Each structure stands twice: as C-alpha cells, then as structure tokens.
Amino acid sequence: MRRTLLSVLVLAFGSMSAQTVYTGSIGDYPVEMIIDSFSKTADGLYVYTNFDEPIELSEGTVNNGTLIFHEKETTGKKATKAILTFNGFTENADALSGIWKNVKTGNELNISLTKKYSIENGENIQWKDRELLQSVSIGNSYFKAVVSKENGSYYPTVTSIKIFEKKTDRLLQELEVSCQLLGLNNITVNDYNFDGIDDFSVFESSYAGPNTSSIYFLFDPKTRKYSESSFSGISLEFDPTKKRVYERNQCCAGTVVTTVEYKVVSNSLVQLAEHCYRWNEKKQKLQEKPMKECQ
C-alpha cells in the first residue's frame, strides 16, 4: 500500500512558478522545450519531436535578460556540445528566439519557440492535464508527467504518468498516481527488482528532513507493460551488486535513525534486518539501541 505523505518542502514547490513548456524549432527541426527559470539560474530540457530522445540543458544562467544553456555530449566526458542563447528572455515569455551553436564547428541554428503553457501555482487558479516531458527514457519509450492544479490547493500535483513510443508518439500506457511535482525529474530509471530489466519510479513526496518516498513500477517482459509494485519504504536505496534494498528513516534533526535491509522475492520486499540508532551526546555520534527505543 502506498504511503500518503504531507510535503513540507514548500520552497521546492515555490521555485517552479516559472516552469514553461514551449514548442517550435531549432533550425528546420521541430522541438518541444521546457524551461524552468529561477532568479539568476535555469534548468531546461528539450526533444527533437521526430525522435523524442530527451536532451538536458545544464548550467543555465540568466543575466540582464540573456539566458544561456549548455547542452552536453551524451558520451565521453560530458563535454559541452552546444551553447543555446536567448536574448530578451523573461520568465513565462509568450515567445522566445535564440541561437543554438555547436562549440566544435561553430555552426549556428536559429531557435524559435512559442509558449504552450506554464505550470502555475496559486490559490485561486485551476487547470488540468498539462503534460510535462521527463528527463529520462527507457529504450524506445519516453515519459510525460500529467499535472493538474485544483482550485484552493496552492501547488499542482502529478496525477498520472504517460509512456509514449519514440518517433511515433503512440501512447503505450498511462498509470495513475498522486505525487508531488518535481518538474522535469519526477521519474527515475533503475532495475528495482534486479531482473536485468529497467523499471522506473515516480517521486511521491518529501517530508521530515531528508526523508522521501517513491512509487515503483516494474516491467513485465511477458505483457510488455509496467505495473505498480508493493515496494514501500522511506528513502529506499537499491544495491545491484548485493541485490539488496536499504531503507533509512531519519527524524528529530538526525538524532533518531532507523534502517532496514530487504531482499526481493517474487517482486516483493522481504525484511532481513532492522536497526535503531540514537544520538549519544557524550560520544557525539549515533549509537545502536534496541528497536523499541526508536518506536
């Protein structure tokens, strides 16, 4: 059963007010681009819509109305492949124009973008089913988070995940969720059941310091579909070498910590061990205690 957790990271949500989806072109190539701008920095992501392979834009800076992104090489040492420059940039601009420049060849392409919609916060606004491209993909599939904003709720939420076929944009599957919005990075790809096949997770919520939860979807090679697993825990980490799953739950400003070790059996988590640690002021470190002292 999924845990329903109340997010306390208000600042993280508030920073997404300038997240905007654009469509347009780079040179003669149609693109979809998402820009998440802050005061002086920005994150970004785009795809050439004929191919649908997510391309991350990093090291975004905004200075005197000029937005600059770095597009990294996908192989090697992640050197910069291209620089994208937008002059006259403003948050939530209805249209943007700029230049894509290959740093090796100096070749330049014009960028022309038109605003499709923004991910807006606020008490007295509502909207539904705005799709937000995600930064990861699996094989021949890519993801979009479907986001809605209810009147009276200040922040939007992710209501479902859509999985599309690259190049054709054919909808392969839609999975309902109810999750905190992280923008371009709600989805993580990993082999969660250690069967050698990539699965994916959706960030669900943040709460109580570093603690987080996610929803884990496992791929069934027989049906070629993903289904929600029964995996549940706080800040789960997956060790592919040991084939073990580790949970760490921290509270009280880090003075109380519980850990649990699991193995995966028939796509379920089976507990192997659990530990309780409490802060020892005299020794200035966490000290293991009986589990009842952490409950």
Side-chain angles (χ1 to χ4, degrees), residues 8 30 35 75 84 87 97 103 108 145 155 182 199 213 217 222 227 237 242 252 257 268-269:
V8 296
I35 296 176
T75 58
L84 287 75
N87 292 316
S97 60
V103 297
E108 294 185 354
Y155 301 112
L182 281 188
D199 310 299
S213 67
F217 292 91
K222 293 182 179 179
S227 59
E237 294 185 3
K242 296 181 179 180
C252 313
V257 175
S268 296
L269 295 183

mmCIF file of all heavy atoms in Angstrom, residues 8 30 35 75 84 87 97 103 108 145 155 182 199 213 217 222 227 237 242 252 257 268-269:
data_model
loop_
_atom_site.group_PDB
_atom_site.id
_atom_site.type_symbol
_atom_site.label_atom_id
_atom_site.label_comp_id
_atom_site.label_asym_id
_atom_site.label_seq_id
_atom_site.Cartn_x
_atom_site.Cartn_y
_atom_site.Cartn_z
ATOM 1 N N VAL A 8 6.549 18.932 3.267
ATOM 2 C CA VAL A 8 6.854 20.158 3.999
ATOM 3 C C VAL A 8 7.868 21.011 3.265
ATOM 4 O O VAL A 8 8.317 22.024 3.760
ATOM 5 C CB VAL A 8 7.395 19.828 5.411
ATOM 6 C CG1 VAL A 8 6.358 19.136 6.238
ATOM 7 C CG2 VAL A 8 8.673 19.014 5.331
ATOM 8 N N PRO A 30 11.642 20.427 -35.746
ATOM 9 C CA PRO A 30 10.645 20.732 -34.708
ATOM 10 C C PRO A 30 11.103 20.228 -33.345
ATOM 11 O O PRO A 30 11.673 19.132 -33.231
ATOM 12 C CB PRO A 30 9.389 20.005 -35.194
ATOM 13 C CG PRO A 30 9.880 18.945 -36.114
ATOM 14 C CD PRO A 30 11.124 19.461 -36.745
ATOM 15 N N ILE A 35 11.531 25.114 -20.019
ATOM 16 C CA ILE A 35 12.482 25.973 -19.326
ATOM 17 C C ILE A 35 11.963 26.233 -17.921
ATOM 18 O O ILE A 35 10.832 26.685 -17.736
ATOM 19 C CB ILE A 35 12.691 27.298 -20.076
ATOM 20 C CG1 ILE A 35 13.316 27.022 -21.451
ATOM 21 C CG2 ILE A 35 13.574 28.246 -19.266
ATOM 22 C CD1 ILE A 35 13.481 28.267 -22.317
ATOM 23 N N THR A 75 28.002 11.147 -24.651
ATOM 24 C CA THR A 75 29.009 10.123 -24.389
ATOM 25 C C THR A 75 30.293 10.798 -23.926
ATOM 26 O O THR A 75 30.429 12.016 -23.930
ATOM 27 C CB THR A 75 29.304 9.295 -25.647
ATOM 28 O OG1 THR A 75 29.744 10.177 -26.708
ATOM 29 C CG2 THR A 75 28.075 8.546 -26.109
ATOM 30 N N LEU A 84 23.206 27.306 -26.097
ATOM 31 C CA LEU A 84 21.933 27.892 -26.511
ATOM 32 C C LEU A 84 21.805 29.255 -25.842
ATOM 33 O O LEU A 84 21.910 29.362 -24.611
ATOM 34 C CB LEU A 84 20.759 27.009 -26.117
ATOM 35 C CG LEU A 84 20.552 25.703 -26.907
ATOM 36 C CD1 LEU A 84 21.580 24.644 -26.514
ATOM 37 C CD2 LEU A 84 19.151 25.162 -26.702
ATOM 38 N N ASN A 87 18.267 35.921 -26.128
ATOM 39 C CA ASN A 87 18.299 37.327 -25.733
ATOM 40 C C ASN A 87 16.877 37.829 -25.473
ATOM 41 O O ASN A 87 15.915 37.314 -26.038
ATOM 42 C CB ASN A 87 18.970 38.175 -26.809
ATOM 43 C CG ASN A 87 20.458 37.875 -26.922
ATOM 44 O OD1 ASN A 87 21.151 37.748 -25.915
ATOM 45 N ND2 ASN A 87 20.957 37.757 -28.148
ATOM 46 N N SER A 97 13.223 33.628 -28.965
ATOM 47 C CA SER A 97 14.091 33.376 -30.109
ATOM 48 C C SER A 97 15.524 33.354 -29.621
ATOM 49 O O SER A 97 15.880 34.035 -28.646
ATOM 50 C CB SER A 97 13.912 34.442 -31.191
ATOM 51 O OG SER A 97 14.232 35.727 -30.692
ATOM 52 N N VAL A 103 29.784 24.015 -30.426
ATOM 53 C CA VAL A 103 31.026 24.604 -29.935
ATOM 54 C C VAL A 103 32.254 24.123 -30.719
ATOM 55 O O VAL A 103 33.281 24.804 -30.742
ATOM 56 C CB VAL A 103 31.221 24.311 -28.431
ATOM 57 C CG1 VAL A 103 30.120 24.944 -27.612
ATOM 58 C CG2 VAL A 103 31.291 22.815 -28.165
ATOM 59 N N GLU A 108 25.715 27.442 -36.474
ATOM 60 C CA GLU A 108 24.628 28.051 -35.722
ATOM 61 C C GLU A 108 23.279 27.760 -36.370
ATOM 62 O O GLU A 108 23.171 27.732 -37.600
ATOM 63 C CB GLU A 108 24.822 29.570 -35.626
ATOM 64 C CG GLU A 108 26.038 29.973 -34.808
ATOM 65 C CD GLU A 108 26.117 31.485 -34.626
ATOM 66 O OE1 GLU A 108 25.291 32.206 -35.236
ATOM 67 O OE2 GLU A 108 26.996 31.946 -33.870
ATOM 68 N N ALA A 145 4.853 13.450 -17.425
ATOM 69 C CA ALA A 145 4.042 13.531 -16.224
ATOM 70 C C ALA A 145 2.821 14.379 -16.520
ATOM 71 O O ALA A 145 2.931 15.471 -17.078
ATOM 72 C CB ALA A 145 4.848 14.143 -15.084
ATOM 73 N N TYR A 155 -0.448 24.192 -4.773
ATOM 74 C CA TYR A 155 0.535 23.566 -5.656
ATOM 75 C C TYR A 155 -0.109 22.531 -6.587
ATOM 76 O O TYR A 155 -1.049 21.843 -6.201
ATOM 77 C CB TYR A 155 1.622 22.874 -4.833
ATOM 78 C CG TYR A 155 2.353 23.816 -3.918
ATOM 79 C CD1 TYR A 155 2.212 23.707 -2.537
ATOM 80 C CD2 TYR A 155 3.162 24.819 -4.429
ATOM 81 C CE1 TYR A 155 2.880 24.578 -1.683
ATOM 82 C CE2 TYR A 155 3.834 25.689 -3.586
ATOM 83 C CZ TYR A 155 3.691 25.567 -2.219
ATOM 84 O OH TYR A 155 4.337 26.427 -1.380
ATOM 85 N N LEU A 182 8.011 17.414 -9.070
ATOM 86 C CA LEU A 182 9.412 17.831 -9.079
ATOM 87 C C LEU A 182 9.801 18.423 -10.423
ATOM 88 O O LEU A 182 10.963 18.712 -10.645
ATOM 89 C CB LEU A 182 10.326 16.643 -8.777
ATOM 90 C CG LEU A 182 10.475 16.210 -7.325
ATOM 91 C CD1 LEU A 182 11.552 15.153 -7.221
ATOM 92 C CD2 LEU A 182 10.772 17.369 -6.405
ATOM 93 N N ASP A 199 13.294 -0.709 -14.811
ATOM 94 C CA ASP A 199 11.982 -0.308 -14.318
ATOM 95 C C ASP A 199 12.022 1.208 -14.128
ATOM 96 O O ASP A 199 12.999 1.860 -14.481
ATOM 97 C CB ASP A 199 11.692 -1.008 -12.996
ATOM 98 C CG ASP A 199 11.937 -2.510 -13.047
ATOM 99 O OD1 ASP A 199 11.261 -3.184 -13.850
ATOM 100 O OD2 ASP A 199 12.822 -3.009 -12.312
ATOM 101 N N SER A 213 9.698 9.482 -0.306
ATOM 102 C CA SER A 213 9.080 8.229 -0.752
ATOM 103 C C SER A 213 8.881 8.285 -2.253
ATOM 104 O O SER A 213 8.768 9.360 -2.841
ATOM 105 C CB SER A 213 7.737 7.979 -0.053
ATOM 106 O OG SER A 213 6.784 8.941 -0.462
ATOM 107 N N PHE A 217 7.438 1.135 -10.272
ATOM 108 C CA PHE A 217 6.731 0.404 -11.325
ATOM 109 C C PHE A 217 7.695 -0.580 -11.984
ATOM 110 O O PHE A 217 8.776 -0.189 -12.449
ATOM 111 C CB PHE A 217 6.158 1.369 -12.358
ATOM 112 C CG PHE A 217 5.053 2.231 -11.837
ATOM 113 C CD1 PHE A 217 5.318 3.470 -11.271
ATOM 114 C CD2 PHE A 217 3.735 1.801 -11.876
ATOM 115 C CE1 PHE A 217 4.301 4.264 -10.782
ATOM 116 C CE2 PHE A 217 2.699 2.584 -11.383
ATOM 117 C CZ PHE A 217 2.988 3.826 -10.834
ATOM 118 N N LYS A 222 6.573 -10.292 -20.233
ATOM 119 C CA LYS A 222 5.546 -11.076 -20.918
ATOM 120 C C LYS A 222 4.446 -10.178 -21.482
ATOM 121 O O LYS A 222 4.020 -10.333 -22.618
ATOM 122 C CB LYS A 222 4.942 -12.111 -19.963
ATOM 123 C CG LYS A 222 5.921 -13.199 -19.532
ATOM 124 C CD LYS A 222 5.245 -14.209 -18.615
ATOM 125 C CE LYS A 222 6.219 -15.307 -18.211
ATOM 126 N NZ LYS A 222 5.584 -16.299 -17.287
ATOM 127 N N SER A 227 3.692 -2.279 -14.060
ATOM 128 C CA SER A 227 2.650 -2.324 -13.036
ATOM 129 C C SER A 227 3.242 -1.850 -11.711
ATOM 130 O O SER A 227 4.439 -2.033 -11.450
ATOM 131 C CB SER A 227 2.079 -3.732 -12.882
ATOM 132 O OG SER A 227 3.095 -4.656 -12.532
ATOM 133 N N GLU A 237 17.173 2.706 -1.080
ATOM 134 C CA GLU A 237 18.334 2.635 -1.960
ATOM 135 C C GLU A 237 18.503 1.194 -2.414
ATOM 136 O O GLU A 237 18.340 0.258 -1.621
ATOM 137 C CB GLU A 237 19.595 3.118 -1.239
ATOM 138 C CG GLU A 237 19.562 4.596 -0.874
ATOM 139 C CD GLU A 237 20.865 5.080 -0.283
ATOM 140 O OE1 GLU A 237 21.821 4.264 -0.205
ATOM 141 O OE2 GLU A 237 20.949 6.261 0.103
ATOM 142 N N LYS A 242 24.860 -6.401 -4.433
ATOM 143 C CA LYS A 242 24.420 -7.298 -3.355
ATOM 144 C C LYS A 242 22.980 -7.750 -3.535
ATOM 145 O O LYS A 242 22.525 -8.655 -2.827
ATOM 146 C CB LYS A 242 24.572 -6.603 -2.005
ATOM 147 C CG LYS A 242 26.006 -6.279 -1.630
ATOM 148 C CD LYS A 242 26.068 -5.605 -0.268
ATOM 149 C CE LYS A 242 27.494 -5.295 0.135
ATOM 150 N NZ LYS A 242 27.562 -4.635 1.472
ATOM 151 N N CYS A 252 13.878 13.847 14.039
ATOM 152 C CA CYS A 252 14.377 14.578 15.215
ATOM 153 C C CYS A 252 15.754 15.179 14.953
ATOM 154 O O CYS A 252 16.691 15.012 15.743
ATOM 155 C CB CYS A 252 14.410 13.674 16.438
ATOM 156 S SG CYS A 252 12.901 12.713 16.675
ATOM 157 N N VAL A 257 17.567 7.454 14.075
ATOM 158 C CA VAL A 257 17.649 6.879 12.733
ATOM 159 C C VAL A 257 17.306 5.398 12.807
ATOM 160 O O VAL A 257 17.822 4.677 13.671
ATOM 161 C CB VAL A 257 19.061 7.047 12.126
ATOM 162 C CG1 VAL A 257 19.160 6.325 10.786
ATOM 163 C CG2 VAL A 257 19.414 8.514 11.972
ATOM 164 N N SER A 268 8.506 -8.737 -4.299
ATOM 165 C CA SER A 268 8.107 -8.158 -3.023
ATOM 166 C C SER A 268 9.347 -7.980 -2.155
ATOM 167 O O SER A 268 10.329 -8.715 -2.294
ATOM 168 C CB SER A 268 7.111 -9.064 -2.291
ATOM 169 O OG SER A 268 5.905 -9.180 -3.022
ATOM 170 N N LEU A 269 9.309 -6.999 -1.246
ATOM 171 C CA LEU A 269 10.406 -6.778 -0.319
ATOM 172 C C LEU A 269 10.237 -7.663 0.907
ATOM 173 O O LEU A 269 9.197 -7.637 1.563
ATOM 174 C CB LEU A 269 10.449 -5.309 0.111
ATOM 175 C CG LEU A 269 10.764 -4.283 -0.981
ATOM 176 C CD1 LEU A 269 10.835 -2.883 -0.371
ATOM 177 C CD2 LEU A 269 12.055 -4.604 -1.702
#
